[in-house]
Amino acid sequence: MFTNRVRQAIAATLQGLPLSATVNEFTPPKIEFEVEPMTGGRFIVEEMVKSGKVLGAKLVLQGAGPEIMLALGVKMGEDILLNVREAGQDQDGNTWFTYHTVGGKLKSLDAGVVKMGDKPTTTLDLSCRTYTRLENGIPVIDIDVRTQKFMLNGVDILGDARRAVLLP
């Protein structure tokens, strides 16, 4: 049974380098759609989905100094691969886990405000080309913008359209 969850651990790798001790927060891609109103002959307007919006993710690292950034070789516009894994327990005492995998480009790198007494942070803003999400080993999201694969909540939304134009 699905119940309330408490996150107990976060681990991450960027370009294969472990960042587990430095992850402050991760914002996975927001799945959003462009819609337009359909009005013809209608009193109440209905919205029709036109396309998916650009995907982006954000990773905030604590204490990511030059050694980490240089070792990663991450620079503006370079392809990156980010894996973020989270796990915890639900209110019934069951262990749960979620794996996020993001592939794409580094859009911005922000060192944040330099302030006495604060811990330095580095924010990576990513433009996503691919995004997958596994919940307890079950794929729930699998998006690839180049192949137009768009699986959301286990349903391949564009499967019929891809097959109709002879795409895999």
Side-chain angles (χ1 to χ4, degrees):
M1 182 172 155
F2 184 76
T3 60
N4 291 319
R5 294 175 164 187
V6 174
R7 185 176 296 110
Q8 296 174 322
I10 298 176
T13 58
L14 185 60
Q15 302 295 74
L17 182 70
L19 300 174
S20 303
T22 64
V23 176
N24 200 21
E25 69 181 63
F26 170 66
T27 305
K30 181 178 181 179
I31 309 299
E32 262 186 306
F33 299 99
E34 291 284 343
V35 296
E36 72 178 22
M38 296 188 310
T39 57
R42 298 167 189 235
F43 177 73
I44 299 174
V45 177
E46 182 180 357
E47 290 185 321
M48 181 173 110
V49 174
K50 294 186 337 180
S51 64
K53 290 189 178 182
V54 174
L55 299 176
K58 184 171 77 169
L59 179 69
V60 180
L61 301 174
Q62 182 179 325
E67 299 83 10
I68 292 176
M69 300 318 280
L70 291 172
L72 295 172
V74 175
K75 58 186 177 190
M76 301 304 278
E78 184 175 308
D79 286 333
I80 56 95
L81 182 63
L82 170 67
N83 293 294
V84 177
R85 299 166 310 278
E86 57 177 310
Q89 279 195 339
D90 65 21
Q91 71 186 34
D92 293 331
N94 301 313
T95 299
W96 61 270
F97 63 91
T98 302
Y99 293 173
H100 306 268
T101 303
V102 173
K105 304 273 185 198
L106 177 63
K107 225 163 65 169
S108 71
L109 188 145
D110 181 12
V113 176
V114 178
K115 185 176 174 186
M116 283 301 298
D118 284 356
K119 296 177 183 175
T121 60
T122 302
T123 302
L124 304 175
D125 192 15
L126 311 171
S127 174
C128 306
R129 186 180 70 77
T130 62
Y131 174 56
T132 59
R133 179 178 177 149
L134 297 174
E135 291 276 346
N136 292 329
I138 300 167
V140 292
I141 298 175
D142 189 358
I143 299 172
D144 187 324
V145 299
R146 290 193 182 152
T147 64
Q148 293 296 289
K149 182 176 186 181
F150 196 104
M151 188 181 84
L152 181 61
N153 300 325
V155 177
D156 189 354
I157 293 172
L158 297 176
D160 290 340
R162 280 196 325 274
R163 284 187 289 283
V165 295
L166 306 177
L167 288 174

